[in-house]
Amino acid sequence: AQRVTQPEKLLSVFKGAPVELKCNYSYSGSPELFWYVQYSRQRLQLLLRHISRESIKGFTADLNKGETSFHLKKPFAQEEDSAMYYCALGGSEKLVFGKGTKLTVNP
Amino acid sequence: SAVISQKPSRDICQRGTSLTIQCQVDSQVTMMFWYRQQPGQSLTLIATANQGSEATYESGFVIDKFPISRPNLTFSTLTVSNLSPEDSSIYLCSVNPLGLGLNTEAFFGQGTRLTVV
């Protein structure tokens, strides 16, 4: 079964501070991992996917198969990063989401 | 990419009634997905809707409670029947235009916020 765990429901940091949103997964197959973001009053949208290995809006995420983790990181948080972040695990049949972490970046 | 129009955006319904949510996509897609997002909870997949066949429901969701129609490749409806306050939630429509299992992007509607009184 596919399972995604985001241990932090809420995360609050100050502007300019590093931020890390944790995600752990459970899946017997080859994992496809994503981070989706929902800004206030906007629809859910893709932030990044592990296969792209790219940095989006300063965020990066590395797939660690040994630790079954896909943590999202940004070295210097900005106020506009405040949003709800969902880690998601994809497969051939469905996309499974974690419970989400609400990130607040304080000025 | 895909642009999804979902309506209504919100509704307040009496218990015992039903609400039908519509989802229109600007391109043809094979599968459409319906999710429920309860307060403080994750997005939970309700069912996958394929054109020309019955929807596939996830564990805990049944067709009698959540009937789905998929008349063509750009449109689907989800009905939430016999409403109770526990059905108060946000319902989301989603598509993967390039298919699942290929590390492709999912697109979402803006959601329908249902309140049952």
Side-chain angles (χ1 to χ4, degrees):
Chain A
Q2 297 169 247
R3 184 172 295 171
V4 178
T5 303
Q6 291 180 252
E8 303 135 332
K9 202 169 184 174
L10 303 170
L11 185 61
S12 183
V13 300
F14 286 102
K15 177 182 174 181
V19 62
E20 180 179 50
L21 289 80
K22 291 184 166 49
C23 172
N24 288 89
Y25 67 92
S26 174
Y27 186 51
S28 57
S30 184
E32 300 173 10
L33 284 148
F34 308 83
W35 277 98
Y36 282 83
V37 60
Q38 189 167 28
Y39 300 103
S40 179
R41 296 190 178 82
Q42 295 187 28
R43 63 186 68 195
L44 196 61
Q45 59 186 283
L46 178 68
L47 179 63
L48 54 79
R49 66 195 103 183
H50 89 269
I51 199 166
S52 301
R53 291 182 155 274
E54 56 191 346
S55 172
I56 304 292
K57 298 185 178 183
F59 284 98
T60 59
D62 290 320
L63 175 60
N64 185 323
K65 290 188 178 181
E67 295 182 358
T68 59
S69 68
F70 188 58
H71 303 326
L72 183 67
K73 300 177 184 179
K74 185 169 182 176
F76 307 104
Q78 302 299 314
E79 289 180 68
E80 55 266 29
D81 296 328
S82 295
M84 195 75 184
Y85 291 81
Y86 293 94
C87 183
L89 173 63
S92 59
E93 295 180 356
K94 59 185 177 182
L95 195 59
V96 174
F97 288 84
K99 291 190 176 183
T101 298
K102 183 175 181 179
L103 174 65
T104 302
V105 181
N106 300 298
Chain B
S1 68
V3 178
I4 300 174
S5 174
Q6 187 176 335
K7 55 183 180 182
S9 58
R10 59 178 62 227
D11 207 342
I12 301 173
C13 299
Q14 297 287 327
R15 65 177 72 198
T17 64
S18 298
L19 175 69
T20 295
I21 303 166
Q22 298 180 5
C23 180
Q24 178 77 50
V25 189
D26 68 342
S27 57
Q28 294 184 341
V29 292
T30 304
M31 293 191 287
M32 295 177 77
F33 304 90
W34 288 99
Y35 288 87
R36 181 174 70 184
Q37 185 176 25
Q38 292 178 303
Q41 301 294 317
S42 178
L43 285 78
T44 303
L45 182 64
I46 297 171
T48 302
N50 294 309
Q51 194 268 335
S53 64
E54 281 199 8
T56 302
Y57 289 83
E58 296 297 304
S59 176
F61 298 96
V62 295
I63 188 171
D64 289 346
K65 177 68 176 177
F66 299 98
I68 287 172
S69 78
R70 184 78 201 275
N72 57 53
L73 291 172
T74 63
F75 187 79
S76 177
T77 67
L78 169 74
T79 299
V80 189
S81 305
N82 190 24
L83 290 168
S84 68
E86 293 72 36
D87 295 320
S88 297
S89 187
I90 296 173
Y91 294 85
L92 289 164
C93 170
S94 174
V95 300
N96 268 75
L98 298 180
L100 287 175
L102 298 171
N103 286 288
T104 56
E105 180 175 359
F107 295 88
F108 293 84
Q110 70 270 38
T112 297
R113 182 181 294 272
L114 168 62
T115 302
V116 182
V117 297

